[in-house]
Amino acid sequence: MALDVREVPREGGGPKAAPRPRREITTAFVVSRIAVLAVAAAILLYAVPPLVAAESWVSLALLGAVSAAIAYLYLTRRFIPAKYLVPGTVFLIAFQVFPVVYTVTTAFTNFGDGHRGDKAAAVTAIETGSVRQTPGSPEYAMTVALRGDELVFLLVDPKTKQVRLGDAKGLSPLAGAQVGVTGKVLAAPGLTVLKAPEAAARGQEISALAVPTGDGVIKANGLSRAVEGKAALVYDAGCDCVRGNGDTWTADESQGFFVNAKGEHLAQGWQVGVGLDNFARVLTNPTISGYFAGVFGWNLVFALASVLGTFALGMSVALALHHPRMRGTRFYRIALILPYAMPAFAMLLVWRDMFNRDFGLINQLLGANVDWLGETATARFGVILVNLWLGFPYMFLVTTGALQAIPRELTEAAAIDGATPWKAFRRVTLPLLLVALTPLLISSFAYNFNNFNAIALTTEGGPFPADNPQVGGTDLLITYTFRLAFGAGGAQFGFAAAVSVFIFTIVAVISAVAFRRTRKQEEVYA
């Protein structure tokens, strides 16, 4: 995609002038420019309708300004470096900066199950969720349809057989509808009748829709019936509270839910900022902080053992195949990278079955009766062994590539100076390998520090002590966090984000120290 710059002599007679460069735009550059413009236009066409429907004028103006800037940049011959920097910058912001910023901001909120929307949505959910059928009220045959993008109910009165349309505003008559013998509306003018699978896929929207009437609301009862009822809980804007069932729940704006005099709160709340509460919970809650140090210690051991073990084994195999007298290296290399080529999640499940006490392959081969995953020590050894088997092919590949870049003359010179093979390896080969591979080792450490699959798919964090089902013997911080934030108490995204910030800080500090030592090492062997 580079520009083809050629020197063209000046035409005409007279003394020769200095050659002037001429830029010829290559086909690859034109294709890439068209591709960027096409992607920008597609995003613009896709995003404009929902932004207009939501009346999000600020976002719409920002989208238009960015699209105009991209069009100007790629339709002009100027700003050549920016044409290459802009796509990379956009991807960096979209896939790196935005997720980090979003995670950090979420850590200061109570976002999670029951606290996903605003207060108005919470009030609507509380009232519609408490609707109970009014005694003696009719049961309507219901058909779900779409009016544009809006979900509506087509209700057939059981007495008059009249079809009415129900939406969030109320009931209205519907003319020209075709009703089948079962009471289901087959077609209606201006509407798209949903088939059963399509309606089932939108079950949450159907359950949330409430059609107001004079005496209450009409709610769906399944996918083909609807009933009229009244809300047992009603919001009172005068006291900013919810009344019903002989009790009153007052809004607590600091926590984002309605709470009564007994301290009980309704399940449905709204999202608010909670400041440092999530971080304080990690440090002060005894069920979390009491086990944090132990889990963190094992997490460090697991990550270090995985990195050092895979590096040592991969380097040893790479050195053996790098020897000039070694034959059949191509066959061995293909065989050794098979674990790396297989799906990791499938192999983790296979290893879990191999560790089974009763019918596992390992006990059968050893003639033993070891409960590998039932004891903390053997379970930890097992997950490190599995990670070693999965990870050493990668280290073998990168070490093989690094060895190719080390001149053999260096080791030969060391041998001429009287160095033994071990001393030549320790003084020459290993330092040069570490200079090239230390960044990869640091990234491997960061990956294994948060290696969720290796634990979740083999031991599931266990074994668990009888008195504490929350933290297991092989739990990493990431699996421990997942169980606390997404366990029986529902999803707590704000709390999970706070713990993620802690984990990110720990890994960032360790990586920064390691990279600093790497730079000193590079200066020594430069």
Side-chain angles (χ1 to χ4, degrees):
M1 300 194 320
L3 292 177
D4 184 10
V5 180
R6 301 178 183 176
E7 295 183 354
V8 181
R10 184 176 181 181
E11 297 180 358
K16 293 184 177 180
R20 296 170 59 186
R22 184 180 70 188
R23 292 179 175 177
E24 293 184 1
I25 301 178
T26 62
T27 303
F29 182 79
V30 174
V31 171
S32 63
R33 182 167 64 177
I34 294 174
V36 172
L37 291 173
V39 171
I43 294 175
L44 181 65
L45 293 175
Y46 177 80
V48 165
L51 290 177
V52 171
E55 298 182 354
S56 182
W57 309 122
V58 175
S59 300
L60 187 62
L62 180 61
L63 177 64
V66 171
S67 301
I70 292 175
Y72 174 76
L73 176 63
Y74 283 91
L75 291 177
T76 181
R77 292 177 178 269
R78 303 172 60 190
F79 312 114
I80 299 301
K83 289 179 170 63
Y84 296 95
L85 291 176
V86 167
T89 303
V90 171
F91 281 115
L92 175 66
I93 294 174
F95 295 107
Q96 292 292 336
V97 177
F98 177 76
V100 172
V101 172
Y102 183 75
T103 300
V104 173
T105 55
T106 303
F108 295 93
T109 69
N110 64 345
F111 180 53
D113 284 351
H115 300 274
R116 294 176 180 264
D118 56 12
K119 188 175 181 179
V123 170
T124 301
I126 291 172
E127 291 181 338
T128 58
S130 65
V131 172
R132 300 294 181 267
Q133 184 176 2
T134 304
S137 63
E139 182 174 302
Y140 299 93
M142 181 190 72
T143 304
V144 183
L146 290 177
R147 182 174 55 191
D149 294 331
E150 181 187 6
L151 193 74
V152 296
F153 291 161
L154 306 182
L155 304 172
V156 180
D157 190 287
K159 296 181 179 179
T160 63
K161 304 301 180 180
Q162 181 182 2
V163 180
R164 289 187 290 179
L165 185 146
D167 55 18
K169 298 180 180 179
L171 291 172
S172 59
L174 180 64
Q178 300 179 13
V179 182
V181 293
T182 61
K184 180 178 177 60
V185 177
L186 304 178
L191 301 173
T192 302
V193 177
L194 298 184
K195 298 179 180 178
E198 297 172 333
R202 310 184 68 154
Q204 292 184 347
E205 297 178 63
I206 295 173
S207 300
L209 179 58
V211 180
T213 64
D215 299 324
V217 294
I218 296 176
K219 293 275 292 182
N221 184 15
L223 296 178
S224 61
R225 297 290 172 184
V227 295
E228 184 175 350
K230 290 185 177 181
L233 301 176
V234 179
Y235 176 71
D236 186 350
C239 64
D240 194 16
C241 63
V242 174
R243 303 179 186 275
N245 297 330
D247 206 344
T248 301
W249 291 264
T250 305
D252 184 348
E253 297 292 347
S254 63
Q255 297 298 321
F257 49 64
F258 292 96
V259 60
N260 62 8
K262 302 177 182 178
E264 303 169 343
H265 61 83
L266 297 176
Q268 185 64 46
W270 60 95
Q271 184 177 344
V272 296
V274 295
L276 299 174
D277 287 359
N278 289 322
F279 297 94
R281 178 184 172 189
V282 177
L283 299 175
T284 59
N285 191 329
T287 61
I288 301 172
S289 59
Y291 301 99
F292 191 88
V295 175
F296 174 65
W298 155 243
N299 205 149
L300 281 177
V301 171
F302 173 79
L304 288 173
S306 298
V307 174
L308 296 179
T310 55
F311 176 65
L313 181 57
M315 181 181 61
S316 301
V317 176
L319 287 171
L321 296 182
H322 187 65
H323 197 278
R325 296 184 180 180
M326 189 68 184
R327 297 292 181 267
T329 56
R330 181 176 299 178
F331 168 78
Y332 290 118
R333 286 171 180 169
I334 292 175
L336 288 170
I337 65 172
L338 285 179
Y340 187 64
M342 295 180 180
F345 78 93
M347 300 314 300
L348 288 169
L349 296 176
V350 171
W351 273 96
R352 183 185 67 181
D353 291 338
M354 290 172 61
F355 280 121
N356 188 275
R357 177 177 183 176
D358 299 321
F359 55 83
L361 180 62
I362 295 178
N363 275 348
Q364 292 182 8
L365 291 177
L366 299 177
N369 189 31
V370 179
D371 188 7
W372 293 96
L373 304 183
E375 300 292 336
T376 299
T378 54
R380 289 179 173 179
F381 172 77
V383 294
I384 291 177
L385 178 64
V386 174
N387 221 31
L388 178 64
W389 183 83
L390 287 172
F392 92 89
Y394 169 75
M395 291 298 179
F396 162 71
L397 290 174
V398 297
T399 305
T400 299
L403 286 173
Q404 302 294 333
I406 299 177
R408 292 186 182 271
E409 290 79 4
L410 295 178
T411 55
E412 292 174 357
I416 293 175
D417 290 341
T420 62
W422 166 248
K423 185 173 290 187
F425 166 75
R426 188 166 60 90
R427 296 290 187 181
V428 179
T429 305
L430 182 59
L432 293 175
L433 281 177
L434 290 178
V435 169
L437 300 182
T438 298
L440 295 177
L441 296 178
I442 295 173
S443 63
S444 179
F445 172 84
Y447 171 78
N448 283 288
F449 197 88
N450 295 298
N451 197 339
F452 181 86
N453 288 342
I455 303 301
L457 297 178
T458 51
T459 64
E460 297 181 354
F464 295 92
D467 58 341
N468 183 20
Q470 287 292 330
V471 56
T474 58
D475 262 327
L476 305 181
L477 288 176
I478 189 67
T479 58
Y480 183 40
T481 301
F482 181 83
R483 188 175 300 109
L484 290 174
F486 303 102
Q492 305 174 56
F493 293 103
F495 172 68
V499 181
S500 298
V501 171
F502 275 108
I503 297 175
F504 171 78
T505 304
I506 293 170
V507 175
V509 170
I510 296 175
S511 301
V513 173
F515 274 117
R516 186 176 181 181
R517 295 182 63 88
T518 301
R519 285 196 296 270
K520 293 181 179 180
Q521 190 179 30
E522 290 175 351
E523 294 173 358
V524 172
Y525 291 95

